[in-house]
Amino acid sequence: MPAEPGAHSEIASAAERVSALPVSNEPILTVSGVERSFPVGGRQLHVLKGIDMELRPGQLVMLRGRSGSGKTTLMNMIGGLDQPNRGEIYFLGHPFHLWNDDQRTDVRRKQIGFIFQTYALMPLLSAWENVELSLRMAGVPRSQWKPRVQHCLELVGLGKRMHHRPFELSGGEQQRVAIAKAIAHRPTLLLADEPTAELDSQMGAQVMAVFREIIDTERVTICMTTHDPTILEVADHVYQMVDGKFITT
Ligand SMILES: Nc1ncnc2c1ncn2[C@@H]1O[C@H](COP(=O)(O)OP(=O)(O)OP(=O)(O)O)[C@@H](O)[C@H]1O
Protein backbone atom coordinates (compact mmCIF):
# COMPACT_ATOMS: atom_id res chain seq x y z
CA MET A 1 0.00 0.00 0.00
CA PRO A 2 1.43 3.44 -0.89
CA ALA A 3 2.42 5.65 2.03
CA GLU A 4 0.09 8.52 2.86
CA PRO A 5 1.26 12.03 2.04
CA GLY A 6 2.98 13.49 5.09
CA ALA A 7 4.00 10.08 6.38
CA HIS A 8 7.25 10.25 4.44
CA SER A 9 9.47 11.82 7.10
CA GLU A 10 8.17 9.36 9.74
CA ILE A 11 8.98 6.46 7.44
CA ALA A 12 12.39 7.86 6.56
CA SER A 13 13.37 8.29 10.19
CA ALA A 14 12.15 4.79 11.06
CA ALA A 15 14.12 3.40 8.12
CA GLU A 16 17.25 5.20 9.27
CA ARG A 17 16.93 3.65 12.70
CA VAL A 18 16.13 0.20 11.43
CA SER A 19 19.20 0.25 9.20
CA ALA A 20 21.31 0.33 12.39
CA LEU A 21 19.51 -2.76 13.69
CA PRO A 22 19.75 -6.37 12.65
CA VAL A 23 17.00 -7.10 10.12
CA SER A 24 15.98 -10.32 11.84
CA ASN A 25 15.11 -11.10 15.42
CA GLU A 26 18.79 -11.77 16.16
CA PRO A 27 19.96 -10.63 19.62
CA ILE A 28 21.22 -7.05 19.86
CA LEU A 29 23.22 -8.06 22.93
CA THR A 30 24.89 -11.34 23.87
CA VAL A 31 26.59 -11.92 27.21
CA SER A 32 28.54 -15.19 27.60
CA GLY A 33 30.34 -16.52 30.66
CA VAL A 34 30.82 -13.05 32.17
CA GLU A 35 32.69 -12.83 35.45
CA ARG A 36 33.62 -9.70 37.40
CA SER A 37 35.51 -9.39 40.65
CA PHE A 38 36.81 -6.40 42.58
CA PRO A 39 39.82 -6.21 44.88
CA VAL A 40 38.53 -5.50 48.38
CA GLY A 41 40.78 -5.51 51.45
CA GLY A 42 43.55 -7.45 49.69
CA ARG A 43 41.14 -10.15 48.44
CA GLN A 44 39.01 -10.59 45.32
CA LEU A 45 35.28 -10.13 45.78
CA HIS A 46 33.56 -12.24 43.10
CA VAL A 47 30.45 -10.31 42.14
CA LEU A 48 29.46 -11.85 38.78
CA LYS A 49 30.11 -15.58 38.57
CA GLY A 50 29.37 -16.63 35.00
CA ILE A 51 26.49 -14.72 33.41
CA ASP A 52 24.85 -15.72 30.11
CA MET A 53 22.04 -13.62 28.69
CA GLU A 54 20.72 -12.03 25.55
CA LEU A 55 18.47 -9.17 24.55
CA ARG A 56 16.41 -9.26 21.36
CA PRO A 57 14.92 -6.31 19.45
CA GLY A 58 11.79 -4.85 21.05
CA GLN A 59 12.03 -6.82 24.29
CA LEU A 60 11.34 -5.53 27.80
CA VAL A 61 13.73 -7.55 29.96
CA MET A 62 14.01 -7.29 33.74
CA LEU A 63 16.83 -8.22 36.11
CA ARG A 64 15.55 -9.10 39.53
CA GLY A 65 17.54 -9.84 42.64
CA ARG A 66 18.31 -8.81 46.17
CA SER A 67 20.42 -5.81 47.00
CA GLY A 68 24.07 -6.70 46.42
CA SER A 69 23.35 -9.62 44.06
CA GLY A 70 25.22 -7.90 41.19
CA LYS A 71 22.49 -6.29 39.03
CA THR A 72 24.11 -2.85 38.75
CA THR A 73 27.50 -4.41 38.10
CA LEU A 74 25.99 -6.34 35.18
CA MET A 75 24.13 -3.28 33.85
CA ASN A 76 27.43 -1.38 33.85
CA MET A 77 28.97 -4.12 31.68
CA ILE A 78 26.02 -4.16 29.26
CA GLY A 79 26.23 -0.37 28.93
CA GLY A 80 29.96 -0.48 28.23
CA LEU A 81 30.82 1.44 31.41
CA ASP A 82 32.87 -1.43 32.83
CA GLN A 83 34.46 -4.62 31.47
CA PRO A 84 34.44 -8.24 32.62
CA ASN A 85 37.48 -10.09 33.95
CA ARG A 86 36.36 -13.07 31.93
CA GLY A 87 33.72 -13.75 29.26
CA GLU A 88 32.35 -11.94 26.24
CA ILE A 89 29.87 -9.13 25.61
CA TYR A 90 28.77 -8.32 22.07
CA PHE A 91 26.50 -5.30 21.55
CA LEU A 92 25.29 -4.94 17.95
CA GLY A 93 28.31 -7.04 17.01
CA HIS A 94 30.77 -4.79 18.88
CA PRO A 95 33.06 -6.72 21.28
CA PHE A 96 32.70 -4.59 24.44
CA HIS A 97 34.92 -7.01 26.39
CA LEU A 98 37.84 -6.23 24.06
CA TRP A 99 37.31 -2.57 23.23
CA ASN A 100 38.94 0.35 25.02
CA ASP A 101 37.05 3.15 26.80
CA ASP A 102 36.97 5.49 23.81
CA GLN A 103 35.57 2.85 21.48
CA ARG A 104 32.87 1.86 23.97
CA THR A 105 32.00 5.48 24.75
CA ASP A 106 31.47 6.22 21.08
CA VAL A 107 28.98 3.36 20.70
CA ARG A 108 27.34 4.17 24.03
CA ARG A 109 26.71 7.83 23.12
CA LYS A 110 24.95 6.87 19.91
CA GLN A 111 23.22 3.60 20.68
CA ILE A 112 22.46 3.42 24.40
CA GLY A 113 20.26 5.50 26.70
CA PHE A 114 20.42 5.41 30.50
CA ILE A 115 17.71 5.98 33.11
CA PHE A 116 18.48 6.15 36.83
CA GLN A 117 16.45 5.69 40.00
CA THR A 118 16.87 9.35 40.93
CA TYR A 119 16.11 10.78 37.45
CA ALA A 120 19.49 12.57 37.00
CA LEU A 121 18.01 15.74 35.49
CA MET A 122 19.77 19.10 35.44
CA PRO A 123 17.84 21.02 38.13
CA LEU A 124 18.08 24.50 36.61
CA LEU A 125 17.05 23.42 33.11
CA SER A 126 13.45 22.98 31.97
CA ALA A 127 12.14 19.62 30.72
CA TRP A 128 12.65 20.90 27.17
CA GLU A 129 16.24 22.02 27.86
CA ASN A 130 17.09 18.75 29.59
CA VAL A 131 16.01 16.73 26.53
CA GLU A 132 17.74 19.17 24.18
CA LEU A 133 20.97 18.76 26.17
CA SER A 134 21.01 15.05 25.44
CA LEU A 135 20.71 15.71 21.68
CA ARG A 136 23.57 18.20 21.89
CA MET A 137 25.72 15.65 23.76
CA ALA A 138 24.97 12.96 21.16
CA GLY A 139 26.05 15.29 18.34
CA VAL A 140 22.61 15.47 16.70
CA PRO A 141 22.44 18.45 14.28
CA ARG A 142 20.75 21.51 15.83
CA SER A 143 18.15 21.67 13.04
CA GLN A 144 16.66 18.38 14.32
CA TRP A 145 16.40 19.37 17.98
CA LYS A 146 13.05 21.16 18.07
CA PRO A 147 10.83 18.51 16.44
CA ARG A 148 12.60 15.70 18.25
CA VAL A 149 12.35 17.30 21.72
CA GLN A 150 8.67 18.04 21.17
CA HIS A 151 7.99 14.51 19.92
CA CYS A 152 9.77 12.84 22.87
CA LEU A 153 8.07 14.98 25.52
CA GLU A 154 4.65 14.37 23.94
CA LEU A 155 5.40 10.65 23.75
CA VAL A 156 5.91 10.48 27.53
CA GLY A 157 2.73 12.51 28.14
CA LEU A 158 4.38 15.81 29.05
CA GLY A 159 3.15 17.94 26.16
CA LYS A 160 1.71 20.42 28.66
CA ARG A 161 4.71 20.52 30.99
CA MET A 162 7.54 21.09 28.53
CA HIS A 163 8.81 24.29 30.10
CA HIS A 164 8.58 23.24 33.75
CA ARG A 165 11.78 22.73 35.68
CA PRO A 166 12.31 19.49 37.65
CA PHE A 167 11.26 20.96 41.03
CA GLU A 168 7.93 21.97 39.48
CA LEU A 169 7.20 18.36 38.46
CA SER A 170 6.11 15.26 40.41
CA GLY A 171 8.49 12.30 40.77
CA GLY A 172 6.66 10.39 38.04
CA GLU A 173 6.79 13.39 35.72
CA GLN A 174 10.51 13.85 36.39
CA GLN A 175 11.11 10.21 35.55
CA ARG A 176 9.17 10.68 32.31
CA VAL A 177 11.40 13.65 31.41
CA ALA A 178 14.36 11.36 32.10
CA ILE A 179 12.86 8.79 29.70
CA ALA A 180 12.36 11.45 27.00
CA LYS A 181 15.97 12.51 27.55
CA ALA A 182 17.23 8.92 27.31
CA ILE A 183 15.42 8.12 24.04
CA ALA A 184 15.87 11.48 22.28
CA HIS A 185 18.98 10.43 20.31
CA ARG A 186 17.21 7.24 19.14
CA PRO A 187 19.23 4.63 20.99
CA THR A 188 18.83 0.95 20.19
CA LEU A 189 19.01 -0.03 23.86
CA LEU A 190 17.63 1.65 26.97
CA LEU A 191 19.13 0.64 30.32
CA ALA A 192 17.15 1.56 33.44
CA ASP A 193 18.43 0.92 36.98
CA GLU A 194 15.45 0.72 39.39
CA PRO A 195 13.46 3.32 37.41
CA THR A 196 10.35 2.97 39.58
CA ALA A 197 11.96 2.60 43.01
CA GLU A 198 11.25 6.19 44.07
CA LEU A 199 7.68 6.19 42.76
CA ASP A 200 4.34 5.11 44.24
CA SER A 201 2.62 2.21 42.50
CA GLN A 202 0.41 4.40 40.29
CA MET A 203 3.32 6.47 39.02
CA GLY A 204 5.41 3.32 38.63
CA ALA A 205 2.65 1.85 36.45
CA GLN A 206 2.63 5.03 34.34
CA VAL A 207 6.37 4.71 33.75
CA MET A 208 5.94 1.08 32.71
CA ALA A 209 3.14 2.07 30.31
CA VAL A 210 5.50 4.64 28.76
CA PHE A 211 8.17 1.93 28.41
CA ARG A 212 5.70 -0.27 26.48
CA GLU A 213 4.72 2.65 24.27
CA ILE A 214 8.30 3.54 23.35
CA ILE A 215 9.15 -0.08 22.59
CA ASP A 216 6.36 -0.01 19.99
CA THR A 217 6.88 3.47 18.57
CA GLU A 218 10.64 3.98 18.90
CA ARG A 219 11.58 0.32 18.38
CA VAL A 220 13.90 0.33 21.35
CA THR A 221 14.89 -2.63 23.57
CA ILE A 222 14.69 -2.05 27.33
CA CYS A 223 16.66 -3.79 30.06
CA MET A 224 15.86 -2.71 33.62
CA THR A 225 16.45 -3.78 37.20
CA THR A 226 13.66 -3.92 39.75
CA HIS A 227 12.77 -5.15 43.20
CA ASP A 228 9.05 -4.70 42.61
CA PRO A 229 7.18 -7.99 42.05
CA THR A 230 4.08 -6.24 40.61
CA ILE A 231 6.15 -4.71 37.82
CA LEU A 232 7.68 -8.04 36.80
CA GLU A 233 4.35 -9.04 35.26
CA VAL A 234 4.82 -6.75 32.27
CA ALA A 235 8.26 -8.13 31.36
CA ASP A 236 8.84 -10.24 28.25
CA HIS A 237 11.60 -12.01 30.14
CA VAL A 238 12.86 -11.94 33.73
CA TYR A 239 16.39 -12.91 34.76
CA GLN A 240 16.54 -13.74 38.45
CA MET A 241 19.95 -13.05 39.97
CA VAL A 242 21.16 -14.70 43.16
CA ASP A 243 24.67 -14.03 44.40
CA GLY A 244 26.17 -13.18 41.00
CA LYS A 245 24.43 -15.92 38.97
CA PHE A 246 21.11 -16.34 37.22
CA ILE A 247 18.81 -19.00 38.58
CA THR A 248 15.73 -20.43 36.90
CA THR A 249 12.51 -20.04 38.85
N1 LIG B 1 33.79 -1.00 42.28
C1 LIG B 1 33.52 -1.88 43.26
N2 LIG B 1 34.47 -2.21 44.17
C2 LIG B 1 34.22 -3.10 45.13
N3 LIG B 1 33.04 -3.74 45.30
C3 LIG B 1 32.06 -3.46 44.43
C4 LIG B 1 32.24 -2.52 43.37
N4 LIG B 1 31.08 -2.45 42.66
C5 LIG B 1 30.23 -3.29 43.27
N5 LIG B 1 30.79 -3.89 44.33
C6 LIG B 1 30.15 -4.89 45.20
O1 LIG B 1 29.50 -5.83 44.40
C7 LIG B 1 28.30 -6.30 45.01
C8 LIG B 1 27.16 -6.16 44.04
O2 LIG B 1 26.88 -4.77 43.85
P1 LIG B 1 25.75 -4.26 42.83
O3 LIG B 1 25.68 -2.78 43.00
O4 LIG B 1 26.01 -4.80 41.49
O5 LIG B 1 24.44 -4.96 43.44
P2 LIG B 1 22.90 -4.71 43.10
O6 LIG B 1 22.28 -6.05 42.90
O7 LIG B 1 22.78 -3.75 41.99
O8 LIG B 1 22.38 -4.05 44.44
P3 LIG B 1 21.25 -2.91 44.66
O9 LIG B 1 19.94 -3.59 44.33
O10 LIG B 1 21.39 -2.58 46.12
O11 LIG B 1 21.58 -1.77 43.76
C9 LIG B 1 28.16 -5.49 46.28
O12 LIG B 1 28.60 -6.29 47.36
C10 LIG B 1 29.06 -4.31 46.07
O13 LIG B 1 29.58 -3.83 47.29
Side-chain angles (χ1 to χ4, degrees):
M1 196 169 75
E4 286 176 28
H8 178 74
S9 59
E10 285 282 303
I11 291 168
S13 66
E16 275 164 33
R17 265 192 40 73
V18 172
S19 68
L21 291 171
V23 279
S24 65
N25 191 36
E26 288 299 301
I28 59 160
L29 175 99
T30 314
V31 174
S32 323
V34 158
E35 297 180 22
R36 180 70 168 113
S37 44
F38 299 101
V40 177
R43 300 182 56 193
Q44 288 294 319
L45 178 68
H46 295 284
V47 175
L48 299 180
K49 300 172 179 170
I51 296 288
D52 300 301
M53 70 179 287
E54 60 181 32
L55 300 175
R56 290 178 187 272
Q59 274 191 321
L60 175 55
V61 171
M62 298 194 194
L63 305 182
R64 175 193 200 192
R66 295 174 107 152
S67 181
S69 58
K71 303 180 299 295
T72 304
T73 304
L74 178 58
M75 292 283 268
N76 288 343
M77 307 274 159
I78 297 173
L81 295 165
D82 189 17
Q83 286 180 296
N85 301 105
R86 192 174 284 181
E88 297 179 338
I89 301 177
Y90 285 95
F91 173 62
L92 296 175
H94 306 307
F96 272 7
H97 56 292
L98 297 175
W99 276 10
N100 66 29
D101 262 349
D102 289 347
Q103 290 170 303
R104 285 180 280 124
T105 299
D106 189 47
V107 172
R108 186 168 63 241
R109 283 223 178 105
K110 293 179 184 140
Q111 300 285 358
I112 301 179
F114 288 89
I115 294 172
F116 304 94
Q117 185 174 337
T118 50
Y119 325 132
L121 300 174
M122 302 293 278
L124 298 179
L125 301 184
S126 67
W128 181 285
E129 290 162 337
N130 264 285
V131 180
E132 200 174 71
L133 181 65
S134 113
L135 294 175
R136 183 192 296 258
M137 304 275 286
V140 174
R142 185 179 279 263
S143 59
Q144 295 176 22
W145 292 358
K146 193 175 171 195
R148 186 64 185 159
V149 174
Q150 183 159 352
H151 174 77
C152 290
L153 285 169
E154 282 172 355
L155 193 60
V156 299
L158 289 177
K160 296 205 169 82
R161 299 260 196 291
M162 291 186 187
H163 302 292
H164 286 52
R165 284 188 282 170
F167 73 90
E168 297 165 324
L169 297 168
S170 72
E173 287 167 341
Q174 289 183 56
Q175 192 56 299
R176 284 186 277 145
V177 176
I179 295 170
K181 189 173 175 177
I183 60 167
H185 62 298
R186 297 191 168 90
T188 305
L189 174 63
L190 200 56
L191 296 176
D193 203 358
E194 299 273 358
T196 60
E198 298 285 311
L199 305 175
D200 65 28
S201 57
Q202 195 191 346
M203 286 194 185
Q206 277 178 14
V207 164
M208 295 316 301
V210 169
F211 276 178
R212 272 281 164 219
E213 172 86 13
I214 60 180
I215 283 175
D216 291 342
T217 60
E218 298 284 305
R219 307 198 58 191
V220 75
T221 299
I222 299 179
C223 180
M224 60 176 276
T225 63
T226 187
H227 281 109
D228 184 346
T230 60
I231 275 177
L232 294 167
E233 287 167 17
V234 300
D236 294 315
H237 190 80
V238 177
Y239 286 101
Q240 166 94 25
M241 190 177 270
V242 176
D243 196 19
K245 283 189 221 153
F246 288 143
I247 57 158
T248 40
T249 47

